[in-house]
Amino acid sequence: MKIFTIFFILIFLSGNEFLFAQDELNNQFQKAEKLFKEEKYFDAITEFKRVIFFDSENKYDYESYYKIALSYRAGNKLSEAIRYFSLAEQSAQTRDEILNAKFEIVKLNILRRTTSSALNLLDKIESEFPEKQNDVINWRGWAFIFKDDWESAANEFNKIDSLKWIADFCKNIENSKYSVRFAKIISYFLPGAGQFYSGNYLSGFLSLGWTGLWTYLTVNSFVEKRIFDSVMIGNFLWLRFYNGNIQNAEKFAIAENQKISNNALEYLQNNFKGKKP
Amino acid sequence: MKNYFVYAIIFSVIFFGKSFPQNSFHTQSNILIFADHLFCEKDFLRAIDEYLRIENKGDSTKLKLAFSYQKINNFDASSFQFLELKNTSVADIASLNFYKSSYLAENFVSLINNFENENFISEKYFSFISKLYLTARIKANHNIDKNFDFGAFEKSEQETVSVLVKRQLNPKYKSETMAGVLSTLIPGLGKIYTQNYGDGITSLIVTGLLTYLSVNNFDHNHQFKGWIFAGLSSYFYLGNIYGSVASAQIFNANYNRVTQEEIDKFIYENNYFLPKEADWNCK
Amino acid sequence: MKIYFFSILFCLIHFNVFPQTEFEKWEGKKISYVLNENSTSSELNFDAENIPELFLKSLTNLYWFFISDVDGDNCPFSPTCSAFLIGSIEETNVIKGALMFADRFTRDINFFDKANAYPFVTRGKFFDPPQNYTLNRESIKVFESGKFLFLE
């Protein structure tokens, strides 16, 4: 009888070992979390990998993969982050976890500006999880912002009342942008006009001056019946500066638009309080 | 009765002791298991960290550590670690990879010296290492002459090797002096000699045209214009001589680049003459 | 079922193919939303060691400001001919730089076979750095011509 008691105690003790293992796993996970919070991302990844490796019941898989992905993301290693978010998605237990990982992948695709895959993923999420439509719309809007398509973004955000502010913001940005086509067309008619339109007055004056000078010289030679000179000046000088003027009109308009977009993105990154990638 | 208690205490101490340290994932044996796992996952940078935490490393652990260093392109450390494995059970494979590390680090001179001084050469893999050694000599163009012996290579490899040796032994360079002299005689001829035909013809046309304009202006008593074109003409003439010499140099540099690339291709396709890569017991 | 099979297969292949990407330890790095902006005009600089160099550089800067930035994108090379001149003077001296420029100019107006003579970089420009023409064999770096070149 007493022997049985002792065996029982021994079995109980060995059972304790199992309990300890769970505690240890938790300890290890906390340790990794601590490194993550201290922004020691490289080491945090090692410790999370250790958790996954020793976690025979796959209890911490989702959280660890998720945290590894977040660490890679914090180190601006986006494709690896995506890889680990997909691993997290595969080891997810609940619907929420799956959704979470999926949205993280979408966010990274938005940041990487691989917009088409972000939009594809969002379409899939929309059909599988109809209840999350608001989030899908929000991220679709952000995907368009990063694609520099502010009008589509505004249309997307407009579908939800709570996103009114950012919809208006996008609309404003779209309206404040220069039309590249318009800049080019007015430069065809009046050299330098496109540059004036986008606010590059110096370059506009130079273009106007040069083309004016060469036009005068070409016409003058023609009038004075020096046809050879006229053709040469017209072909090699006038045409060159005229072409350059149109190229510049386009180049400056694009550059100004880029500046506007970048300012807007910077503002959103620093000041926007809502959900953002 | 008392005995049972003693047993119980001993057993419980054993069982507690097993799981009592704060975190058993960080015991030596578990670190090793985890390190091997990282190694198999090809996360070599983290595997190195774990291997370094092990105090009494076995030979195979040391080998994996060295191999990990090689994989993250830290060839100094990997050479050092492979050398440490001299006279151990894994010396053969370590010796091979020791030489491979030197090759990858482009330390050809030390590789050649090590081989010639019979430093850490595995007898089992002698033929492989000697191939690596010979290729290093070709690559670094070290003491290559007509009697270069490439008997160590297989029949199928010898053809490629003889082409490579020939490229290093008798390189078909273009002489810089020759290019300069030719361009001095006729503008652009040096460029044609270095196979830049278009540039050569352009050079001839430009210098010819400017000289013609100069002569023409002098003939018509336009002294100032004449001098301007004469100056431009001689400027482009001198530039053409300079450019021909430079283009001969670039031609030779390109010749060397092709040689080096072909050697790289040859050794890469032959997997650095390593026998089939060791199976590291990865699942 | 099929999807599971393929996703598992994909994972297996993915794991085997996934190359070593971390060669050294790294730290957190902020992700910026902002895209890099292309510069729209040449950067003028007047750093010179002697009078002739200052003179040539001023000339080049004037050319950049009044002509090059206004007359469109005409140079097929990278660096452009004027930048090549500046570069060669900085690498060597005024006289050698001038000779290098004469050679470059001749190669620029050559309309025969440029496409096969140089490697090219962004926007189809031929890569032709002044370092290759200083007559110093050590500084020459050549790449396969006709191929696209990824520069850091």
Side-chain angles (χ1 to χ4, degrees):
Chain A
M1 187 63 205
K2 271 167 192 160
I3 298 168
F4 282 118
T5 322
I6 286 160
F7 269 117
F8 182 75
I9 290 167
L10 284 178
I11 288 163
F12 173 75
L13 287 174
S14 63
N16 255 5
E17 198 196 6
F18 169 73
L19 278 180
F20 272 111
Q22 280 308 318
D23 276 354
E24 265 181 332
L25 218 47
N26 190 24
N27 269 346
Q28 175 63 28
F29 188 78
Q30 298 304 334
K31 186 179 170 185
E33 285 263 80
K34 192 167 163 257
L35 286 169
F36 179 79
K37 276 183 193 133
E38 286 167 1
E39 301 188 359
K40 291 174 182 159
Y41 298 114
F42 183 87
D43 299 325
I45 290 174
T46 315
E47 297 311 320
F48 281 121
K49 280 190 170 182
R50 204 189 303 274
V51 174
I52 296 167
F53 181 67
F54 287 107
D55 180 8
S56 49
E57 297 196 329
N58 302 341
K59 216 177 137 195
Y60 289 89
D61 272 14
Y62 171 78
E63 277 172 280
S64 303
Y65 279 133
Y66 195 86
K67 281 282 158 61
I68 290 177
L70 286 181
S71 308
Y72 274 123
R73 184 194 149 114
N76 205 351
K77 294 176 179 294
L78 302 189
S79 31
E80 312 215 357
I82 289 184
R83 182 170 157 241
Y84 277 94
F85 276 129
S86 0
L87 286 172
E89 190 193 325
Q90 280 163 26
S91 48
Q93 304 287 333
T94 64
R95 214 171 143 81
D96 272 351
E97 286 178 350
I98 294 175
L99 252 179
N100 237 342
K102 275 188 194 285
F103 275 129
E104 289 295 336
I105 295 172
V106 168
K107 274 154 79 176
L108 287 170
N109 274 308
I110 293 173
L111 278 174
R112 286 204 303 188
R113 290 183 162 82
T114 41
T115 314
S116 56
S117 24
L119 292 176
N120 278 337
L121 278 169
L122 284 169
D123 288 346
K124 271 185 206 155
I125 295 175
E126 196 173 31
S127 59
E128 280 173 42
F129 304 88
E131 74 274 16
K132 287 286 173 183
Q133 212 197 5
N134 283 6
D135 283 334
V136 169
I137 287 171
N138 181 38
W139 295 127
R140 206 175 271 145
W142 276 98
F144 284 125
I145 289 181
F146 273 76
K147 200 189 168 195
D148 211 18
D149 184 353
W150 297 83
E151 193 169 7
S152 307
N155 291 338
E156 207 59 46
F157 289 129
N158 255 332
K159 290 178 188 165
I160 300 174
D161 289 340
S162 59
L163 299 174
K164 193 84 189 135
W165 183 86
I166 189 164
D168 291 343
F169 182 84
C170 293
K171 197 81 207 156
N172 271 336
I173 299 297
E174 179 61 30
N175 291 338
S176 64
K177 283 203 168 187
Y178 296 98
S179 158
V180 178
R181 190 182 292 163
F182 178 71
K184 265 174 94 171
I185 288 172
I186 56 175
S187 269
Y188 274 111
F189 291 108
L190 178 68
Q195 289 90 310
F196 280 114
Y197 165 64
S198 58
N200 292 278
Y201 301 107
L202 199 58
S203 172
F205 272 120
L206 280 171
S207 274
L208 187 62
W210 280 119
T211 35
L213 177 69
W214 303 129
T215 314
Y216 169 75
L217 286 177
T218 313
V219 173
N220 198 34
S221 329
F222 192 75
V223 171
E224 287 178 5
K225 295 194 175 146
R226 288 185 284 120
I227 306 296
F228 178 75
D229 283 7
S230 167
V231 170
M232 284 316 236
I233 296 172
N235 191 23
F236 285 112
L237 294 168
W238 180 81
L239 197 61
R240 185 170 174 143
F241 281 90
Y242 183 70
N243 274 336
N245 141 65
I246 293 158
Q247 279 179 22
N248 273 354
E250 186 180 13
K251 193 170 79 178
F252 284 127
I254 291 173
E256 292 301 325
N257 284 345
Q258 179 93 68
K259 267 184 212 160
I260 294 171
S261 300
N262 273 349
N263 283 339
L265 284 169
E266 208 175 339
Y267 181 82
L268 287 176
Q269 182 165 24
N270 296 331
N271 301 315
F272 183 62
K273 292 285 184 290
K275 281 184 184 173
K276 58 187 174 185
Chain B
M1 178 69 198
K2 263 184 187 172
N3 282 349
Y4 286 128
F5 268 109
V6 173
Y7 286 134
I9 287 163
I10 290 169
F11 271 94
S12 61
V13 165
I14 291 167
F15 276 105
F16 268 105
K18 219 174 154 189
S19 49
F20 200 69
Q22 215 177 19
N23 203 331
S24 75
F25 305 149
H26 294 268
T27 58
Q28 291 282 310
S29 59
N30 276 342
I31 290 172
L32 181 61
I33 298 170
F34 180 58
D36 283 345
H37 162 74
L38 288 174
F39 182 88
C40 287
E41 217 188 34
K42 299 196 170 148
D43 189 348
F44 297 109
L45 195 55
R46 292 196 176 81
I48 288 171
D49 273 358
E50 297 300 310
Y51 283 131
L52 289 178
R53 285 171 66 193
I54 296 166
E55 273 149 24
N56 298 315
K57 295 188 237 330
D59 291 342
S60 73
T61 306
K62 280 184 187 164
L63 188 66
K64 282 180 184 170
L65 174 62
F67 194 74
S68 302
Y69 275 125
Q70 198 185 63
K71 282 283 179 184
I72 61 158
N73 297 345
N74 187 348
F75 300 120
D76 285 341
S78 71
S79 298
F80 178 77
Q81 294 290 344
F82 282 126
L83 199 58
E84 292 270 287
L85 290 166
K86 214 172 173 177
N87 305 326
T88 60
S89 57
V90 291
D92 288 326
I93 194 90
S95 150
L96 261 175
N97 278 295
F98 170 70
Y99 280 95
K100 185 187 173 184
S101 279
S102 299
Y103 191 96
L104 288 175
E106 307 204 336
N107 280 334
F108 301 118
V109 179
S110 79
L111 191 158
I112 292 163
N113 285 339
N114 277 330
F115 185 87
E116 284 170 359
N117 299 330
E118 296 184 7
N119 232 339
F120 193 25
I121 298 176
S122 143
E123 272 177 33
K124 187 176 162 196
Y125 291 131
F126 182 77
S127 64
F128 295 105
I129 297 172
S130 51
K131 281 187 201 173
L132 198 62
Y133 155 76
L134 289 176
T135 318
R137 259 179 66 187
I138 302 171
K139 172 116 176 157
N141 205 354
H142 186 273
N143 279 343
I144 293 193
D145 51 26
K146 271 183 231 160
N147 307 321
F148 184 77
D149 176 23
F150 38 84
F153 290 100
E154 313 289 325
K155 281 256 155 46
S156 53
E157 295 157 358
Q158 282 187 1
E159 203 176 322
T160 323
V161 176
S162 75
V163 172
L164 295 176
V165 170
K166 216 173 272 170
R167 277 188 80 96
Q168 290 285 43
L169 198 56
N170 304 310
K172 289 189 176 128
Y173 289 151
K174 299 285 179 188
S175 147
E176 291 161 26
T177 329
M178 185 72 163
V181 170
L182 284 174
S183 271
T184 317
L185 296 176
I186 301 173
L189 198 59
K191 290 245 173 181
I192 289 172
Y193 165 69
T194 61
Q195 297 180 1
N196 295 303
Y197 306 109
D199 291 341
I201 295 166
T202 315
S203 198
L204 183 63
I205 293 173
V206 169
T207 340
L209 196 68
L210 289 169
T211 318
Y212 166 77
L213 284 173
S214 158
V215 172
N216 197 19
N217 275 302
F218 279 126
D219 280 353
H220 290 82
N221 267 336
H222 296 309
Q223 292 294 327
F224 181 69
K225 272 190 183 176
W227 280 114
I228 293 257
F229 281 118
L232 276 176
S233 152
S234 36
Y235 173 53
F236 276 96
Y237 174 69
L238 291 174
N240 135 71
I241 297 171
Y242 183 98
S244 296
V245 177
S247 85
Q249 284 191 344
I250 289 173
F251 180 94
N252 298 342
N254 256 314
Y255 188 90
N256 286 340
R257 174 184 62 81
V258 172
T259 312
Q260 295 293 324
E261 279 175 8
E262 282 185 2
I263 297 170
D264 290 344
K265 197 177 139 214
F266 169 70
I267 197 158
Y268 182 77
E269 280 174 358
N270 284 302
N271 193 25
Y272 298 87
F273 305 112
L274 255 68
K276 202 173 147 277
E277 206 161 280
D279 179 17
W280 303 98
N281 291 328
C282 289
K283 278 163 206 159
Chain C
M1 189 61 210
K2 249 185 185 172
I3 295 169
Y4 278 112
F5 175 72
F6 279 115
S7 59
I8 290 167
L9 195 71
F10 174 76
C11 282
L12 286 176
I13 294 168
H14 204 64
F15 269 106
N16 283 331
V17 173
F18 206 81
Q20 173 74 11
T21 50
E22 290 162 276
F23 289 92
E24 50 192 34
K25 295 187 180 178
W26 44 269
E27 276 168 14
K29 199 171 146 195
K30 200 191 164 205
I31 305 173
S32 172
Y33 285 12
V34 171
L35 266 182
N36 287 337
E37 287 171 28
N38 299 327
S39 70
T40 47
S41 53
S42 313
E43 260 180 48
L44 309 182
N45 92 67
F46 292 91
D47 307 332
E49 282 167 7
N50 48 42
I51 304 288
E53 196 176 327
L54 183 68
F55 175 72
L56 275 176
K57 277 203 166 170
S58 312
L59 219 60
T60 320
N61 284 327
L62 285 176
Y63 167 74
W64 276 344
F65 186 77
F66 283 105
I67 299 174
S68 176
D69 283 347
V70 192
D71 76 343
D73 187 7
N74 295 304
C75 187
F77 286 105
S78 165
T80 62
C81 288
S82 39
F84 184 93
L85 174 63
I86 299 271
S88 13
I89 294 169
E90 277 170 0
E91 287 287 321
T92 57
N93 53 44
V94 174
I95 294 169
K96 234 173 158 180
L99 288 176
M100 283 159 76
F101 178 70
D103 177 51
R104 171 51 139 6
F105 192 75
T106 320
R107 286 183 292 115
D108 182 20
I109 54 182
N110 159 26
F111 47 83
F112 292 101
D113 56 353
K114 272 198 285 247
N116 292 320
Y118 308 92
F120 49 92
V121 285
T122 38
R123 285 190 284 158
K125 300 278 183 196
F126 301 122
F127 183 61
D128 187 55
Q131 286 79 3
N132 281 3
Y133 295 88
T134 55
L135 298 193
N136 172 16
R137 283 191 202 87
E138 305 299 314
S139 68
I140 299 179
K141 272 204 188 100
V142 282
F143 303 94
E144 191 171 351
S145 50
K147 287 276 168 66
F148 190 83
L149 204 62
F150 288 97
L151 294 174
E152 289 135 25

